[in-house]
Amino acid sequence: MARQLTDEVWLVERPRVNVSLVEDDVLTLIDAGLPWDGPAIREAVRKIGFDPDRIERVLVTHFDLDHVGGLRAFPEAETVHVGRADAAYVRGDLTPGFGDRKRVFQRLTEFFRKPPQAPVSPVDDGETIGSFTAVHTPGHTPGHTAFYSDALDVVFAGDLVFSDGETLSLPPWYLSQDTDQLRASVDELASRLPPIEVLVSGHGEPLVSGGSQALQHLAQETCGSGGNG
Ligand SMILES: [Zn+2]
């Protein structure tokens, strides 16, 4: 149910989505799974050896039901951090329109989603939170944000990429709001990441080594940049 990836990072395995626990300066959760994942995440955190009510911080990679659904299971959290362009949706102040099929999907799932009790704080590109640096990586959603920690040797890439434990790929086009933007974001993150071993994406098996290298490889493949484009 929970698997230790490094001294400070645990993968809380849920059936369809990855949730992670990090022992940073404060106990930190990365994404919160589907609404019905909440109790199981709390139980997994307990099994790891922590009190789930001690989770002070949640870093959310983006607004999608499978990443924000479980937030209400953590009412004690001091702050939920989410990319600025997605924050109003997480708070429930805005509901996605019907502009494209991605938004239709979000709208349908609205029924299951309630805003978290914990305060939602919008995150800007380059902001640091604990040992993490935020990188705005729009495309999958407008506010999609990746979080990396040089000190902890880990990057949480959300749904910017999918991982099978060995290689990375782009998520299917129909899941993303803007695929050109998503490709540009892969390039952006790849160029800004320090050498990092562990890469955890929102879905699939994490990379336990060569994470930043794999991302650079994908950026070269998908952007077709012969030079340093
Ligand atoms: Zn997802």
Side-chain angles (χ1 to χ4, degrees):
M1 166 160 287
R3 184 151 44 102
Q4 190 157 17
L5 298 179
T6 74
D7 285 350
E8 300 90 0
V9 179
W10 291 263
L11 181 71
V12 177
E13 291 163 294
R14 300 304 306 143
R16 285 177 188 80
V17 63
N18 291 328
V19 174
S20 302
L21 182 73
V22 180
E23 200 178 10
D24 200 7
D25 57 331
V26 300
L27 202 55
T28 300
L29 196 70
I30 316 290
D31 285 342
L34 286 154
W36 44 88
D37 286 331
I41 297 168
R42 290 183 64 88
E43 184 55 30
V45 170
R46 249 181 239 113
K47 283 198 173 134
I48 293 167
F50 294 105
D51 175 355
D53 286 337
R54 271 195 48 222
I55 292 173
E56 280 188 35
R57 180 185 293 151
V58 187
L59 303 181
V60 172
T61 58
H62 64 290
F63 168 76
D64 257 341
L65 185 70
D66 51 344
H67 299 263
V68 304
L71 283 175
R72 284 178 68 84
F74 301 91
E76 308 295 329
E78 274 178 22
T79 317
V80 174
H81 300 268
V82 57
R84 185 166 293 277
D86 283 13
Y89 296 106
V90 176
R91 267 197 218 106
D93 294 345
L94 281 178
T95 48
F98 286 93
D100 56 38
R101 92 183 53 204
K102 165 84 177 172
R103 294 205 185 101
V104 170
F105 173 75
Q106 284 175 330
R107 192 71 189 234
L108 289 173
T109 58
E110 201 70 18
F111 177 75
F112 297 102
R113 201 181 55 77
K114 287 182 186 157
Q117 301 94 320
V120 176
S121 174
V123 176
D124 289 312
D125 183 58
E127 198 173 322
T128 58
I129 303 161
S131 75
F132 285 91
T133 300
V135 180
H136 184 212
T137 46
H140 184 78
T141 66
H144 190 286
T145 298
F147 297 93
Y148 75 84
S149 169
D150 199 4
L152 302 182
D153 202 17
V154 64
V155 54
F156 295 96
D159 288 5
L160 179 67
V161 293
F162 281 1
S163 167
D164 68 1
E166 287 176 5
T167 56
L168 300 177
S169 56
L170 295 177
W173 66 269
Y174 55 84
L175 288 180
S176 295
Q177 287 188 359
D178 187 330
T179 49
D180 289 342
Q181 206 178 34
L182 183 122
R183 272 188 222 105
S185 289
V186 168
D187 215 19
E188 176 72 14
L189 183 62
S191 69
R192 283 170 59 180
L193 272 189
I196 278 180
E197 294 296 336
V198 180
L199 186 150
V200 183
S201 58
H203 306 271
E205 182 66 22
L207 301 183
V208 291
S209 66
S212 52
Q213 274 182 333
L215 192 71
Q216 279 151 10
H217 186 72
L218 180 69
Q220 280 163 5
E221 265 182 6
T222 57
C223 293
S225 51
N228 285 323

